[in-house]
Structures are given as C-alpha cells and as structure tokens.
Amino acid sequence: MNIAPEVAQALADNRGVVALESTIISHGLPRPENLRVAIEVEAQVRANAAVPATIAILDGTVHVGLNDVLLDQVANRDDIVKVSVRDIATVIANRGSGATTVAATSHIARLVGIDVFATGGLGGVHRDARHTWDESADLTTLGDTPITVVCAGVKSILDVGATLERLETLNVGVLGYNTTSFPGFYLRESGFPVTWSVSNPGQVAAIMGARRSMQIATGLIVAYPIPETEQLDPDLHDRVLQDGLSLATQRGVKGKDVTPFLLDHFHRSTHGASLVVNTQIILRNADLAAQIAVAFAAAADR
Ligand code: PSU
Ligand code: MN
C-alpha cells in the first residue's frame, strides 16, 4: 500500500482528510470529463483546508492519494476493472489495476484511519432485486465499516425505498443535510422522508464522536440534496430511466455492469445534462465532506 506523503502527513497531524472513490472516474463518467472532474473534486476538498485521498489500485499497489500521473491512469487506461471489497485481494495478488467502488474505498479508507468520504450516489437495492437479488455491496460494507459518507442519496436508478429499509436493518445512520426528504441523486427529492436532519458540519462531527464513544461501528450517511434549480428535469429523468431499464433487460446487462450501463445511458440520452448534474453533485459533496472532516479532526472526542 502506498499512502501519498501529503495524506500521511495530514493523518499524522490530525488534519481533515477526505477519501474519494475511483470507480466514479473509471466507470461512472465519460472521458475526457472524468479526469477533469477528478481534478476539480480534489481542488474542492483543498479549498476547505482538507486533504483529498483518491483511492485506487494500480499495478498491484493500493494507492491512497493519487498524483497527476496516477489520476490520469485511472481515467484513461483501458485495463482498469471495477473493484469491490471482494476483488481487492485478487487484484493486488495479480498485480492488476482497478478502481474502487464506495464499498472498496470505504474499506481501504478505514484501514488507514480516514473518517470521511465523498461520492456522488451510493449503490443500493436494484429495482428488480426481488428476482435478481442485485443489491450493492456498498450497503453491506457500510453495515460493518465506521465511515461517514457524504452523497446525494442513492442512485435514482435503484429502488430507493428498499435501499432505505436495508440501511435500517444494517444499522447504517442516515442524516439529511438541511432536508427532511431523502435526496434522489439527479433529483432533489426521492419521495422518501429521512428521520434525522442536520444543518452544519459541527453537528455531523458531534454525531460521529458520539458514535465512536458508543462503539457504533457502522457507516453514517450524510445525504446532501442538489438544489431544485440544479436538478435534472424530473420528466426527462423518468423517461430516460424507463428506457434505460428496458434496454438493460433487453441486452441482458447483469452484475457489476448494470450501474455503469445505466449511468452511461443517462449521460448519452440527456445529451450531457445528467453529466452536468452528476458533476455538480460530486463537487458539492466533496465541499461538505471536507468541512465535516475538518470539524471532526478538530473535535475533542474523536
Ligand atoms: N455514484 C456515481 N457514479 C458511480 C458510482 C456511484 O455517481 O459510478 C459507482 C460507485 O463506485 C458505487 C458503484 O459504489 O457505482 C455501485 O455499483 P454496484 O451497483 O455495482 O454496487
Ligand atoms: Mn450489483
């Protein structure tokens, strides 16, 4: 494992560090926007006096914190596989290269002592899970990994209600940030309520501290909705989603290909509109995550 010097120093000095996933770069966004967004997200974290730690596996080495050359490789190499927790060891042993999902990124972040993580939207229970049993390992991983994840809810391609039920079962905390409505990723609202609402980073840091002292070793989701003015047009969203779901079934897309397939379908069918929203979501989440990381690093009870 290689921890970038800047990240190692920040952890040693007890300054705010924000983990960032790499599947979003390799499989979630098209080239060349993927690299541009990856760079902007890191800058957004730094703008809040925190240190970004993008996580990926390159040629058998787990990297926590990527320099420009490595970030470019994640964005542009054709041999980058999507790595969940169960794939980490195999990819390392094979000296392979992969981009880490929310699940794999959370696992590695905790291993090195990072408390806060920013992404776009979590994985969850797929709409046809009753038949396919397709549920993201993001959920079970957050069920046993004490990390705070800032996201815009779960991807709207999923069964949001079922995902919220699973999060409850798995003891994963869910906080709405300035909202009592669980966000809908591309949309401000998913139509489901959230029980607990917070309105500043210090409040989240206090909850993180209380979780630690109570030894609640599961994940905490900070659900941060996009403003209504910036969301994807809901009618367009619903239309594109229905098309994408039938196309995925028609083409027999399965397993870990489903999420990248649907995201790509969105980016194409909305002629880039979903890409703009997706980018905004990630930047906003990185911004808030950095503030939370700084607040928690400064807290007495961490
Ligand atoms: N959110 C995004 N874009 C993405 C993902 C999430 O805005 O590409 C990725 C994350 O890495 C997440 C993964 O962990 O999709 C979930 O994939 P699956 O449903 O196969 O578990
Ligand atoms: Mn899946």
Side-chain angles (χ1 to χ4, degrees), residues 126 134-136 255-256:
H126 284 258
D134 189 355
E135 173 185 324
S136 177
K256 66 184 193 178

Side-chain angles (χ1 to χ4, degrees), residues 133-158:
W133 291 73
D134 189 355
E135 173 185 324
S136 177
D138 291 356
L139 297 187
T140 46
T141 301
L142 289 178
D144 64 10
T145 309
I147 192 156
T148 297
V149 185
V150 182
C151 59
V154 303
K155 277 162 293 186
S156 52
I157 58 173
L158 302 168

Side-chain angles (χ1 to χ4, degrees), residues 134-208:
D134 189 355
E135 173 185 324
S136 177
D138 291 356
L139 297 187
T140 46
T141 301
L142 289 178
D144 64 10
T145 309
I147 192 156
T148 297
V149 185
V150 182
C151 59
V154 303
K155 277 162 293 186
S156 52
I157 58 173
L158 302 168
D159 184 334
V160 178
T163 303
L164 287 169
E165 293 291 351
R166 288 290 290 144
L167 289 169
E168 180 177 358
T169 306
L170 292 163
N171 294 317
V172 176
V174 181
L175 307 174
Y177 196 86
N178 279 332
T179 185
T180 53
S181 168
F182 193 69
F185 190 55
Y186 292 130
L187 305 177
R188 176 166 177 83
E189 297 186 349
S190 66
F192 293 87
V194 29
T195 311
W196 300 101
S197 178
V198 290
S199 55
N200 63 69
Q203 245 178 312
V204 180
I207 293 167
M208 289 166 68

Side-chain angles (χ1 to χ4, degrees), residues 21 23-24 27-29 82 100-103 119-124 126 134-138 155 158 185 255-257 259-260 263 278 282:
E21 60 151 315
T23 294
I24 236 177
H27 290 73
L29 299 167
K82 178 174 163 184
T100 49
T101 62
V102 168
T119 184
L122 289 183
H126 284 258
D134 189 355
E135 173 185 324
S136 177
D138 291 356
K155 277 162 293 186
L158 302 168
F185 190 55
K256 66 184 193 178
D257 297 331
T259 298
L263 291 175
N278 204 342
I282 302 166

